[in-house]
Amino acid sequence: MEAMIRSVSPRDGQVKAEIASASREEVQAAVARCREAQAGWAARPLAERKAALERARRLFLERAEAIVSVLSEENGRPEGESWLSEIVPNGDLFSWWISQARRLLAPEKVALDRLTYPGKSASIEYVPRGVLALITPWNLPVAIPLRTLVPALLAGNGVVFKPSEWAARSGALLAEILNEALPAGVLEVVQGGGAVGEALVRSRIDGVFFTGSVATGRKVAEAAAAQLVPASLELGGKDAALVLADADLERAAQGIAWGGLFNAGQNCAAVERIYVEAPIAEAFTERLREVVASLRLGEDVGPLTTPFQLEIVERQMEEARAAGARVLLGGERPDRPGLWYAPTLLVLDTEEVSVLRDETFGPILPVRVVADADEAVRLANASPYGLTASVWTGNRDRGRAIARRLEAGVVTVNNHGFTGGIPALPWSGVKASGSGITSSHLALREMVRPRTVLVDRSKNPRELWWYPYNPRLVEIARALRDVALGKMLAFARLLKNLPKRFK
Ligand code: NAD
């Protein structure tokens, strides 16, 4: 394993910090500390866990400036964007989970048929899974971990968190803030790259929450399967925006520019394909060109975070050009140090290019003109990914109808991608985008396991299905079957045989 992580600013290429990477033994030790602390944490009343997370919420908001400053150095994020994506919605995320935890974690009574199961009451309790491994990417290095950390901790789990090696400083700062409010060991951090992630998944954990690429997701799933622990996987995307002829062009152009260029396009739910109906294609593309041309590099659109992302963008653009793409804006690196790429708008008339097939993670907006909405839906669904998609139309019913035909975990009509910041709404994908769920009560279900508890108040010496097995038992079973078939006369046989069975 690499010994040191160098944190280099993508804005100017300067080394800002060096962070020690964990050894395999340190990963095991962190998991062991977490396991020891978790039992006590789970045993505390929920009110205490809520109070700790409320303290963490306040500390998180009070330290927002420090977080934004690290994000700017480490990821190159524009300040306003960091506030609006990594700070403000996460304050709400804490509040939502704290306010909903009691309701969502409460045991559920299950009604049992009194005739078949006399004297019995059953309930489902939601028990923390134990020690969870949390492995995250660099692109939203505060928001993505928090979406798992807050509900997982409230539910009584311990978490061993491995931030991306490209976001080690923001990961460390986030954990430091939370740990001021949590008992020692409940949240452990291990720093490092893939080898540290792998060592974590292969250690004694009770579940993995992974967000990242498809290739790594597959490795994580295999390692988790070998351990027989569940893996929640949130993977990549190639999100399509479908612009229909009746769309509000101004809103569509503004929304799609943001949806594609937010975080320099390094967003799992970035608009990476734009399918526009022919009648408005020219007008829409021109307006989109104007909007993108007005954006300032640095203030509105930051640099790419990693050199390998820049390589992918350059390679895809080169291939698109060779395939005859019309580049209306950008398409090159500006002349300045750092990992910058100009916001780019291009029009293609073929689908056979990687910029429309593979994940880009860059400030690239590829437009393709389609004959009609059916063609747009067909092309959108042809992708191996299915994270989010958006439909832009003046007719909301038509928007809803098309949303139902799209193979995506989230579909927005006249908006794009932002629902990832709403804790009440599930964020999930289909196909290669992974089947993990973040946010909402459905995500919480992945962080707990059900425990069925049945309490019997029956005074009968034996149950119907206990020994002895004899002809009377078979007669009763037949009568029960006949009653189930609606033969009401069978009731008489039941009434005759049942009391004798229980004597
Ligand atoms: P990545 O797969 O390279 O790395 C993700 C994390 O996995 C990092 O912390 C990395 O160190 C770790 N890792 C690498 N190899 C590992 C292994 N063998 N075992 C365990 N952990 C290992 O992804 P990335 O480049 O950091 O992030 C970008 C990807 O994340 C994109 O594909 C993007 O679409 C996806 N993403 C998805 C969502 C979502 O909600 N679906 C959100 C954000 C990002």
Side-chain angles (χ1 to χ4, degrees):
M1 296 189 193
E2 298 234 341
M4 281 314 229
I5 301 168
R6 288 169 86 220
S7 174
V8 179
S9 167
R11 284 191 170 252
D12 55 16
Q14 302 281 315
V15 178
K16 299 288 180 186
E18 290 207 346
I19 290 150
S21 189
S23 67
R24 206 162 269 126
E25 294 68 37
E26 284 166 334
V27 173
Q28 308 298 341
V31 173
R33 280 194 302 275
C34 190
R35 185 163 295 285
E36 210 175 311
Q38 186 267 331
W41 176 243
R44 289 188 184 203
L46 176 59
E48 281 184 30
R49 296 202 298 272
K50 281 172 56 174
L53 268 301
E54 173 56 24
R55 277 198 301 283
R57 183 187 75 86
R58 294 198 68 86
L59 290 166
F60 172 79
L61 292 174
E62 284 162 13
R63 302 276 295 276
E65 277 81 2
I67 297 171
V68 169
S69 148
V70 169
L71 287 171
S72 159
E73 279 189 8
E74 194 172 54
N75 290 44
R77 298 282 295 277
E79 201 183 339
E81 194 173 277
S82 290
W83 274 98
L84 266 300
S85 62
E86 302 270 26
I87 304 295
V88 176
N90 289 328
D92 296 344
L93 174 142
F94 274 100
S95 302
W96 189 82
W97 280 111
I98 292 167
S99 70
Q100 299 300 311
R102 187 162 299 285
R103 177 176 70 84
L104 297 178
L105 290 166
E108 282 173 36
K109 283 201 168 140
V110 177
L112 298 174
D113 178 58
R114 285 200 197 163
L115 247 175
T116 323
Y117 303 112
K120 296 162 186 46
S121 53
S123 59
I124 307 168
E125 295 177 354
Y126 293 106
V127 185
R129 284 200 173 273
V131 174
L132 304 179
L134 172 61
I135 300 177
T136 52
W138 43 266
N139 63 331
L140 291 160
V142 173
I144 289 177
L146 277 177
R147 288 185 210 168
T148 297
L149 282 169
V150 174
L153 290 166
L154 276 169
N157 293 289
V159 182
V160 182
F161 169 35
K162 193 205 83 62
S164 165
E165 59 275 40
W166 297 94
R169 289 176 69 200
S170 30
L173 179 57
L174 178 64
E176 180 194 308
I177 294 170
L178 265 61
N179 270 329
E180 279 180 40
L182 294 168
V186 164
L187 167 60
E188 289 282 336
V189 183
V190 290
Q191 294 282 9
V196 173
E198 190 181 344
L200 176 57
V201 181
R202 292 190 186 278
S203 60
R204 227 192 111 214
I205 49 156
D206 301 300
V208 192
F209 285 77
F210 172 82
T211 304
S213 63
V214 173
T216 313
R218 196 165 276 130
K219 289 184 200 160
V220 168
E222 282 167 7
Q227 302 252 91
L228 293 180
V229 297
S232 167
L233 306 173
E234 294 272 2
L235 310 177
K238 189 74 194 167
D239 290 8
L242 284 60
V243 187
L244 307 188
D246 61 0
D248 173 338
L249 287 193
E250 184 59 23
R251 186 171 172 85
Q254 297 282 355
I256 288 171
W258 179 83
L261 301 176
F262 161 80
N263 204 6
Q266 303 171 109
N267 180 12
C268 51
V271 172
E272 294 201 3
R273 299 179 288 159
I274 303 161
Y275 295 118
V276 52
E277 278 191 308
I280 51 143
E282 214 178 305
F284 167 76
T285 310
E286 175 50 22
R287 186 61 195 128
L288 185 59
R289 196 193 63 74
E290 287 165 5
V291 174
V292 177
S294 72
L295 300 177
R296 299 152 305 163
L297 206 60
E299 283 80 22
D300 299 311
V301 181
L304 296 175
T305 303
T306 73
F308 62 81
Q309 252 353 112
L310 189 55
E311 271 171 39
I312 294 173
V313 168
E314 293 201 291
R315 204 170 50 238
Q316 289 191 354
M317 281 305 297
E318 203 178 306
E319 192 205 326
R321 275 202 175 90
R326 273 192 302 133
V327 180
L328 305 185
L329 270 179
E332 59 193 5
R333 296 182 64 172
D335 184 20
R336 56 158 106 176
L339 304 178
W340 300 90
Y341 199 87
T344 298
L345 178 63
L346 69 160
V347 181
L348 290 143
D349 54 18
T350 170
E351 205 63 15
E352 298 310 311
V353 276
S354 58
V355 77
L356 283 178
R357 270 198 327 252
D358 306 331
E359 200 171 38
T360 303
F361 249 54
I364 312 292
L365 294 168
V367 175
R368 182 124 196 253
V369 182
V370 292
D372 52 26
D374 285 346
E375 187 183 5
V377 170
R378 185 175 59 74
L379 292 175
N381 286 346
S383 170
Y385 293 103
L387 192 54
T388 95
S390 55
V391 185
W392 301 80
T393 170
N395 180 334
R396 290 195 294 274
D397 287 340
R398 191 172 171 224
R400 278 191 201 93
I402 288 179
R404 286 187 201 108
R405 294 169 57 196
L406 287 168
E407 293 165 10
V410 176
V411 185
T412 42
V413 178
N414 297 325
N415 215 317
H416 192 94
F418 79 104
T419 65
I422 303 179
L425 293 176
W427 180 266
S428 182
V430 295
K431 302 190 276 186
S433 292
S435 55
I437 305 172
T438 20
S439 301
S440 85
H441 61 293
L442 299 171
L444 189 69
R445 291 284 180 263
E446 296 195 336
M447 299 167 187
V448 289
R449 60 179 178 80
R451 179 200 280 136
T452 296
V453 178
L454 183 136
V455 177
D456 204 326
R457 300 180 307 277
S458 171
K459 296 272 191 281
N460 286 335
R462 72 173 79 99
E463 293 289 355
L464 173 66
W465 54 89
W466 290 2
Y467 297 126
Y469 297 158
N470 55 21
R472 191 180 304 285
L473 177 64
V474 175
E475 184 52 34
I476 292 170
R478 284 214 174 93
L480 282 168
R481 187 269 318 266
D482 290 345
V483 169
L485 286 172
K487 298 177 185 169
M488 291 308 156
L489 290 178
F491 258 120
R493 273 149 56 212
L494 265 185
L495 292 177
K496 183 174 139 223
N497 284 303
L498 267 178
K500 291 182 187 154
R501 170 77 183 160
F502 289 118
K503 271 201 187 129

